[in-house]
Each structure stands twice: as C-alpha cells, then as structure tokens.
Amino acid sequence: MTLSPAPRLPAFALFAAMLAAAGLPLYMHAPKFFVDEYGVSLAALGTVLFVLRLLDVVQDPLLGKLAAAIRAYRGISVAVAVVVMALGMVGLFGVAAPIAPLWWFAIMLTLVFSAFSYLTICFYAQGVSAASEIGQAGHLKVARWRETGALLGICAAAAAPVVLGGYGAFALGFVVLAIAAIWAMGQQWTGKVVPQTGLGPVLADPVARRLLLVALANSAPVAVSSTLFLFFVEDRLGLTGWEGPLLLLFFLFAALSAPFWSRAAEQYGARNVLIFGMVLSIVAFAYAVLLGTGDLVAFAVICAASGVALGADMTLLPALFAKRMEEISPGAAEGFSLWSFVSKMTLAIAAVALLPLLQSSGYVPGQSNDEAALWMLSLLYGAVPCLLKFLAIALLVTTPTDAIQSATPINKRRLT
C-alpha cells in the first residue's frame, strides 16, 4: 500500500482558491457579461442557471459514486476535470460566442459546473483524509487553510475583470491559476482506497441531514447578495466603477477573518461562534436596505462587516460536515456530492427567483430606473438575506446540542 505524503495545507489553500474562483464569481460576472455583451435577458439567464442546477440532482450523486470508484486514480481524474473547467471558463469569457449566446452560455456553464462538482467532491473528501492525519482539531485546521484560500480566490476572481482590464484577461488568469493549483497539490491525491459506502449512511444520519439543511438556508443569503451585487452597486447606489474595489473589500475581510473564526470555534464551540457570525450578517444586510445613491462609505462598512460574517459561514459549517462524514461515511466522496449540490442549488434558486422578479418590477440594468424598481432591488438585496439568515439560525439553534458537539472538535480546556 502506498503511503500518502504528509498534508501540505498551503497546497490545499491554493487549490481551494482556484476552485472558488470558478464558483461564486460566475454568478456575479457571467449574467452581467452576457447582458452587456450580447443583450440576453435577465429572465432567460436565470432560467438557464436554474435548469443547469436541476441537472445536478442526477449528476452530483453520480459524480460522488464516480469519485469513490476511481479513488486510486484521483490525481489523474482531478487533472482532467481542471482542464475541462479551464476550457469552459475560456469559452465563457475569452471567445466570442460562435452560436446563439444563450446556448453558448448554457453549454460552457455545463462544462464548468460539471467539473466544479467533481472537483469539489474530490477536494473535500481529500480534506477529510488530511484532517485524520493531522489529529486533534484536524478538521478545523484544514478548514482554516482551505476556506481562507477559497475566500482569497473569490477575492481575486471578483476583482480580476477590473484589475486585469477585461473578462478575457480574467479567463486567461484562471488558466494560470489552474496550472499552479494542479502543480501544488502534486501527490496529495494519493492515499489508501476506502470502501464505498454510498449515500445511504449520509441520508439516514439525522445530524448530517440537519447540517445539510443548515447549509442550504445559510448559503442562500450569500447566493442572493452575490447574484444582485453588481446591479445593486451600479444602479441603486450609482457607484459605477466601484464594483471591483467593493467586492475585493467584502471577500478580503472574509478571508482575513476565517482563521480567527476557526480559532474561536476551538475555544468556544462551533455553534455559538457560527450563530454570532449569522447575527452580524443580519445587521449588515438590514442596514443595506436603507442605502441610496452615493452612499459609498456606508456600503463599504457593510461590505466589511458582511465579509467578516461570511468568513464564519465558509469556515465552520464545512468543518462540521467533514467531521461528521469521517464518522459515518469514511470514503466521504458520496457525502460531499450532497454538500456540493446544496451549495450550488442556492445560487441557482436565487438566480431563477430573483432575476425575473427584478425584471418584472421594471428594472433594466444600466439604465435610468424609477424609484419603485430601485426599491425592489434594495429589498431583494438586503431584506431577503435577513429572512433567510433567521431561518438558518432557527435550524441551527434547534439542532440538539449533543449532535453538534459530536460533530465538533472540543477544546480540552473546556472539559476541565
């Protein structure tokens, strides 16, 4: 049996940055790019995004089974998936659509999303293996590196079109990042082949099911704000040209806060710390509803505060779920197919629900809109995330304490 090398957590951070750059930023950049470049309607784009997410209902469990079945060849399969994802990104942003733009949008996103799903499943499953080798609080340590890297990747991808001078340069920058990520991970994909457990143990476990529900409710506010961010900044606040710096501020504060959230969770318990972060997010988004044209400083403060709250979301929930997967589904790949599906489904639901609704209110991106349309934009951007966060808090609070503790590394000092 080939022994796996010691986990190189900085490599995990770099790979997470690459993966994240092809995730959340797509929901910020792709709709606006296809509206501006080709004049495709918001409702049509939202429908395509939702239909592609329906594909995940079938695809993600199958990709989880595939990841488990070819575990011994994971390094090769990951490299192939990264190449597919990079080609999809170049197709989206780097070349002119050779067919009807809406069809091209759908085909390229299918490539990106399918590769993204497979890579997410493999990467988080590998994190479970790495955490078990590290030992005490291993899942929080892996999450600290992984999610900090992911947030920095989102930072880079969010600002890249502005910093690099266009979406074509953004696509080429992603290719460079993908090559670096594959090289950095190197032999990290090696390790023992574990028995396939299927989805049964995950779906049958009440703690895993509850954590998936919490993840669904808690990621929805980020999906909403990400989908509407560029429209809100440009048309509600009238801050055209500030989109890149404000996005960078948001994700930079998320990345900087992630290690602190992780250490606080080791000391005070993951649930308590996570609820504190959720409350901070509610305060920030509630204030956003009140903003109007020119409120740059106030919105910058909101970006920083909500970014800090995002750091808690992205660090602590994955660590809780990974720890539970180690206990009930050692292979972890199938379990993380559900995690991948939940994470992406919220983005699709946000797109299909919000973009047509916004359009029906009379809102037209980049044009002069009346106060009713702008007020609808403010409500969707600020009030809807608050309601969803309240739901997530309710689900987390009603999760039995012993269940949360069984899924969380406990600081020994708290037991004395």
Side-chain angles (χ1 to χ4, degrees):
M1 179 181 67
T2 303
L3 295 176
S4 59
R8 296 202 309 265
L9 294 183
F12 276 75
L14 182 59
F15 195 90
M18 180 274 299
L19 194 56
L24 192 61
L26 276 188
Y27 286 83
M28 301 176 190
H29 296 318
K32 191 171 191 312
F33 175 73
F34 274 76
V35 167
D36 294 345
E37 190 74 12
Y38 301 109
V40 181
S41 75
L42 288 174
L45 294 173
T47 301
V48 168
L49 287 168
F50 183 73
V51 170
L52 291 180
R53 289 288 66 83
L54 291 180
L55 174 65
D56 290 334
V57 175
V58 176
Q59 177 178 259
D60 280 10
L62 294 177
L63 290 175
K65 290 182 178 294
L66 177 64
I70 61 173
R71 173 68 182 86
Y73 308 99
R74 183 164 290 174
I76 296 174
S77 67
V78 163
V80 171
V82 170
V83 170
V84 170
M85 188 163 66
L87 289 174
M89 293 288 283
V90 172
L92 271 176
F93 299 112
V95 300
I99 58 176
L102 190 63
W103 280 104
W104 185 248
F105 178 79
I107 293 169
M108 291 299 101
L109 277 185
T110 299
L111 292 179
V112 174
F113 287 159
S114 298
F116 180 89
S117 293
Y118 181 77
L119 291 169
T120 299
I121 293 164
C122 292
F123 185 53
Y124 277 80
Q126 196 66 36
V128 173
S129 176
S132 65
E133 294 182 36
I134 292 172
Q136 184 181 7
H139 290 284
L140 285 174
K141 291 176 182 176
V142 170
R144 186 182 304 153
W145 282 90
R146 182 183 59 212
E147 307 310 331
T148 300
L151 288 163
L152 289 173
I154 295 174
C155 283
V162 175
V163 174
L164 299 179
Y167 286 99
F170 164 57
L172 293 178
F174 180 82
V175 171
V176 174
L177 180 59
I179 294 171
I182 293 175
W183 174 82
M185 284 296 286
Q187 297 299 312
Q188 295 294 299
W189 302 108
T190 61
K192 65 180 181 179
V193 179
V194 296
Q196 297 184 50
T197 57
L199 291 174
V202 182
L203 294 174
D205 182 68
V207 178
R209 292 200 307 269
R210 178 54 67 97
L211 290 173
L212 286 169
L213 282 175
V214 173
L216 179 64
N218 197 49
S219 59
V222 180
V224 170
S225 60
S226 300
T227 301
L228 300 178
F229 182 90
L230 296 179
F231 303 118
F232 184 80
V233 173
E234 183 175 304
D235 294 324
R236 169 71 274 190
L237 302 182
L239 298 175
T240 302
W242 283 96
E243 300 93 337
L246 288 168
L247 273 174
L248 184 61
L249 180 70
F250 173 64
F251 288 115
L252 184 60
F253 268 81
L256 292 174
S257 70
F260 296 98
W261 289 117
S262 176
R263 292 188 178 96
E266 292 181 49
Q267 182 68 33
Y268 301 108
R271 179 164 67 173
N272 295 335
V273 174
L274 186 55
I275 289 174
F276 183 84
M278 291 176 175
V279 172
L280 176 61
S281 180
I282 290 173
V283 172
F285 280 111
Y287 187 38
V289 177
L290 305 176
L291 299 186
T293 302
D295 287 336
L296 174 59
V297 175
F299 189 63
V301 173
I302 290 173
C303 287
S306 57
V308 169
L310 178 64
D313 293 343
M314 293 191 66
T315 303
L316 302 182
L317 268 180
L320 287 171
F321 191 72
K323 177 62 177 177
R324 195 62 183 173
M325 289 303 97
E326 183 183 36
E327 296 172 357
I328 66 172
S329 180
E334 294 96 330
F336 277 109
S337 70
L338 293 174
W339 187 263
S340 173
F341 171 73
V342 164
S343 300
K344 293 182 301 179
M345 196 62 188
T346 56
L347 288 164
I349 292 173
V352 75
L354 300 181
L355 294 181
L357 180 59
L358 191 56
Q359 183 171 294
S360 68
S361 72
Y363 171 75
V364 180
Q367 303 298 319
S368 178
N369 291 278
D370 60 27
E371 191 59 32
L374 294 176
W375 179 241
M376 175 63 75
L377 178 57
S378 292
L379 288 176
L380 293 179
Y381 181 82
V384 171
C386 290
L387 295 175
L388 293 169
K389 278 290 182 181
F390 277 120
L391 175 60
I393 291 175
L395 287 169
L396 190 59
V397 168
T398 55
T399 301
T401 302
D402 57 346
I404 289 291
Q405 287 177 341
S406 69
T408 310
I410 301 175
N411 192 312
K412 290 183 177 180
R413 286 177 291 179
R414 298 182 69 218
L415 301 178
T416 57

